[in-house]
Amino acid sequence: MSENSSSIRTICVYCGSQPGRSAAFVEAGRQLGASIAAHGLRLVYGGGTKGIMGAVASGVLSSGGQVTGIIPEFLVDMEATRHSLGQLDELVITENMHERKHMMFERADAFVTLPGGIGTLEEIVEIMTWAQLGRHEKPMVFANIEGFWNPMLDLIDHMRDQGFIHRAHLVRPMVIDRVEDIVPAILDRAAERDAPTGEEAIISRL
Ligand code: AMP
């Protein structure tokens, strides 16, 4: 399936509002942004212009791509500067966190999680929860930069080993180390999901 015929149009990125200790994290944010733009896709994200969030957005913008930032009013001065928010080509200011998260989910066709803190963790865990409950089948990726997510992945394995991950077939986040592999993997996963089943394929050939 070519990129243009993919059902993937918009990628949501969750990541830290801080830069983290390793320079590789900010670099990965920038590179992911550039890759999203190079594939002709839109970024939707939490609107922050600092830390890794800022790196992803500027990676997209400096490669000529499109960015939607969704941020609650009370966070504008904490996680962004009004000047840099003006550079996004779409800005949505929500009343609260709940509205922001819901809108990010609705607008996105896939989710990528770069290194981040408690806010980042909360967001990707909620998306995995909704997948487990069958509310969506949007591709999910842990961008495992320098093994950042290994402790989280170990925890998920531990939960599975102990019999607490039910309907595991619905929760299949991809774990990808190299940033340049992320967008192609999302496009492949969506193509696999959207491929006609055996019977539909026969009917479509009739
Ligand atoms: P952090 O990973 O803590 O730097 O946060 C990354 C992003 O997640 C920031 O834009 C935060 O505003 C957002 N965030 C923080 N706490 C929450 C929460 N409880 N639910 C959803 N998003 C959050």
Side-chain angles (χ1 to χ4, degrees):
M1 184 181 269
S2 78
E3 281 138 36
N4 289 340
S5 60
S6 174
S7 57
I8 303 291
R9 297 269 180 271
T10 301
I11 294 190
C12 174
V13 177
Y14 298 126
C15 59
S17 54
Q18 309 299 311
R21 293 240 161 86
S22 169
F25 300 153
V26 165
E27 180 49 33
R30 207 171 260 289
Q31 228 189 315
L32 178 62
S35 173
I36 289 171
H39 285 84
L41 304 174
R42 173 179 283 273
L43 167 71
V44 63
Y45 85 120
T49 57
K50 302 173 182 172
I52 304 180
M53 297 176 84
V56 179
S58 74
V60 176
L61 293 171
S62 60
S63 298
Q66 294 185 303
V67 178
T68 298
I70 304 178
I71 190 164
E73 177 66 47
F74 79 95
L75 276 182
V76 168
D77 292 318
M78 224 184 294
E79 295 193 347
T81 60
R82 296 202 184 243
H83 166 73
S84 36
L85 279 178
Q87 295 172 343
L88 307 183
D89 59 290
E90 187 186 22
L91 174 66
V92 182
I93 299 195
T94 62
E95 268 184 32
N96 53 48
M97 214 65 164
H98 186 73
E99 196 189 333
R100 173 211 229 179
K101 282 203 296 185
H102 192 69
M103 197 176 282
M104 287 169 77
F105 169 73
E106 289 287 325
R107 293 278 191 103
D109 303 312
F111 305 92
V112 180
T113 308
L114 283 163
I118 292 171
T120 303
L121 188 62
E122 203 273 350
E123 291 172 309
I124 187 59
V125 167
E126 182 165 58
I127 294 303
M128 287 197 294
T129 311
W130 290 352
Q132 179 172 254
L133 295 173
R135 309 315 301 162
H136 75 89
E137 291 181 49
K138 301 178 184 184
M140 302 174 284
V141 175
F142 280 103
N144 202 21
I145 313 304
E146 295 188 331
F148 179 84
W149 289 110
N150 287 347
M152 170 77 182
L153 299 166
D154 287 348
L155 180 62
I156 295 173
D157 282 347
H158 172 67
M159 291 171 179
R160 187 177 292 113
D161 290 348
Q162 294 300 319
F164 287 110
I165 307 272
H166 50 108
R167 308 170 85 199
H169 63 289
L170 296 176
V171 190
R172 297 185 300 144
M174 295 181 275
V175 179
I176 299 178
D177 303 342
R178 287 170 11 126
V179 174
E180 62 268 37
D181 295 339
I182 293 174
V183 177
I186 288 172
L187 296 173
D188 285 353
R189 175 64 68 90
E192 190 186 295
R193 178 198 64 197
D194 298 340
T197 58
E199 200 175 323
E200 284 165 359
I202 292 167
I203 291 168
S204 72
R205 284 202 298 270
L206 289 178

